[in-house]
Amino acid sequence: MTKTPPSPEAVAAWARLMRVSRQLVEKTEDALKAEGLPPLGWYDVLHELAESGEEGLRPFELVDRVLLAQYSVSRLLARLEADGLVEKLPVSDDGRGQTVRITPSGRETRRRLWAVYGKAISELMGDKLSAKELEMLAGLLGRLRDPPIME
Amino acid sequence: MTKTPPSPEAVAAWARLMRVSRQLVEKTEDALKAEGLPPLGWYDVLHELAESGEEGLRPFELVDRVLLAQYSVSRLLARLEADGLVEKLPVSDDGRGQTVRITPSGRETRRRLWAVYGKAISELMGDKLSAKELEMLAGLLGRLRDPPIME
DNA sequence: TCTATATAAATGCAAATGCATTGAATGGAG
DNA sequence: CTCCATTCAATGCATTTGCATTTATATAGA
């Protein structure tokens, strides 16, 4: 248990991290909205589902991957389903569960989201730092992760 | 206008940044909740008001500083006022505006928030990286800021 | 001065979120 | 087999957010 107050360096890095991450998200969301596209959260889910292929994923697997609360995923999937971007299939060996699979329309939406999202990443990160610096940044952030990544 | 897709390094750094920043916020919010304290956003506002001293700040000045929407600040201030943590004073030379000042109770709440918040920063940032690394992290993040900081 | 435009702050309404709980099904202990 | 604790997913309700608009005042222009 840490008793001493945080070092000035820690506070400065924290403040930067908080401010920058919010700025980046906000700008990206703005870019998506400007194109009439759904929010960032939709991309994450569609991405995971696209990666998982035809088998799809169980909602609880999605919860682990996208770092959202169970009820958030439940409702997000309901919206995605209402929009025809995913479909829910009963799963044979577990009557409680379902498998969620991305639809062709979902893949198309993901593609369009990526066109904007990827561009935002290029402009907001890729263009600002060199490859070496980006790796260094990722490395430092990895050490803050839970669990930490020691490269 | 960037046409090419983002580099793998940029995507990796972006993903880390998004994930880590959300984890850190979530853990900090959890710690505050566990102590029965209000959310992080309250700290930011109370902090700015504490810094501004007895003169207080106009709501629109707060909007610039805390990176929130105008209506968010308006409502947050209403809650802070309802809790007696700030007070709103009419401002003589502009009938539209008001000046918001932190109350003694607000200073006390800020202090209690900081006890938990500062501890979180120590544990989640300060303890994970050296001072040199923290400075490097802040430096890299500064280049992503808008406007960028070139140290 | 009178009018138009701009700025400060609040608010109505719809949508999203957080929290706790529920319904449904499973799996293990006895 | 029966019962109970556990897991998967959805939902009711209160709070918060986002968006657009409103109210009120201030400032600039004709």
Side-chain angles (χ1 to χ4, degrees):
Chain A
M1 180 132 91
T2 307
K3 289 290 207 180
T4 51
S7 70
E9 291 86 0
V11 173
W14 181 281
R16 280 279 171 80
L17 182 58
M18 292 301 137
R19 185 163 286 258
V20 167
S21 60
R22 277 195 297 169
Q23 273 190 350
L24 297 183
V25 168
E26 194 185 327
K27 289 195 183 195
T28 306
E29 294 280 15
D30 286 351
L32 292 172
K33 255 175 257 170
E35 298 290 329
L37 291 168
L40 262 186
W42 289 38
Y43 178 82
D44 292 331
V45 169
L46 290 176
H47 175 69
E48 291 298 335
L49 290 175
E51 296 272 282
S52 76
E54 286 309 306
E55 305 156 57
L57 284 177
R58 302 284 302 266
F60 72 90
E61 296 177 294
L62 225 28
V63 168
D64 299 337
R65 285 173 168 72
V66 298
L67 208 58
L68 288 175
Q70 180 267 321
Y71 62 80
S72 301
V73 169
S74 176
R75 282 166 171 155
L76 182 41
L77 287 175
R79 279 171 236 150
L80 290 169
E81 189 185 26
D83 269 43
L85 306 184
V86 306
E87 52 191 351
K88 295 180 177 175
L89 310 163
V91 51
S92 52
D93 62 336
D94 188 340
R96 292 167 302 186
Q98 43 188 303
T99 290
V100 182
R101 193 165 59 188
I102 190 170
T103 64
S105 169
R107 290 186 188 276
E108 168 64 13
T109 296
R110 168 172 129 70
R111 202 191 53 69
R112 297 201 296 137
L113 284 166
W114 180 244
V116 177
Y117 193 8
K119 183 156 163 294
I121 294 175
S122 289
E123 293 175 357
L124 301 172
M125 290 228 64
D127 294 353
K128 308 276 186 175
L129 299 174
S130 71
K132 275 268 171 292
E133 290 168 328
L134 289 168
E135 281 172 4
M136 181 163 293
L137 176 60
L140 291 167
L141 291 171
R143 308 247 312 271
L144 302 180
R145 246 190 40 158
D146 187 33
I149 295 180
M150 294 303 192
E151 280 133 316
Chain B
M1 180 131 93
T2 306
K3 289 289 205 181
T4 51
S7 69
E9 291 86 0
V11 174
W14 181 280
R16 280 279 172 80
L17 181 58
M18 293 300 137
R19 185 164 287 257
V20 167
S21 61
R22 278 195 296 168
Q23 274 190 349
L24 297 183
V25 169
E26 195 185 325
K27 288 194 184 198
T28 306
E29 295 280 15
D30 287 350
L32 291 172
K33 256 176 255 170
E35 298 290 330
L37 291 168
L40 262 186
W42 290 37
Y43 179 81
D44 293 329
V45 169
L46 291 175
H47 176 68
E48 292 298 334
L49 291 175
E51 297 272 283
S52 77
E54 286 309 305
E55 305 157 58
L57 284 177
R58 300 284 301 267
F60 72 89
E61 296 177 294
L62 224 29
V63 167
D64 300 335
R65 286 173 167 72
V66 299
L67 207 59
L68 289 174
Q70 180 266 322
Y71 63 81
S72 301
V73 169
S74 175
R75 282 166 169 154
L76 182 41
L77 288 175
R79 280 172 234 149
L80 290 169
E81 188 185 26
D83 269 44
L85 306 184
V86 306
E87 52 191 351
K88 295 180 179 176
L89 311 164
V91 51
S92 51
D93 61 336
D94 188 339
R96 294 167 300 185
Q98 43 189 302
T99 289
V100 182
R101 192 165 59 186
I102 191 169
T103 64
S105 169
R107 289 185 189 276
E108 168 64 13
T109 296
R110 167 172 131 71
R111 204 191 51 70
R112 297 201 295 135
L113 283 166
W114 180 245
V116 176
Y117 192 9
K119 185 156 161 293
I121 294 175
S122 288
E123 292 175 359
L124 301 173
M125 289 230 63
D127 294 354
K128 309 276 187 178
L129 299 174
S130 71
K132 274 268 172 295
E133 289 168 330
L134 288 168
E135 282 172 4
M136 181 164 293
L137 176 60
L140 291 167
L141 291 170
R143 308 245 316 268
L144 302 179
R145 246 189 41 157
D146 186 34
I149 296 180
M150 294 302 193
E151 280 134 316

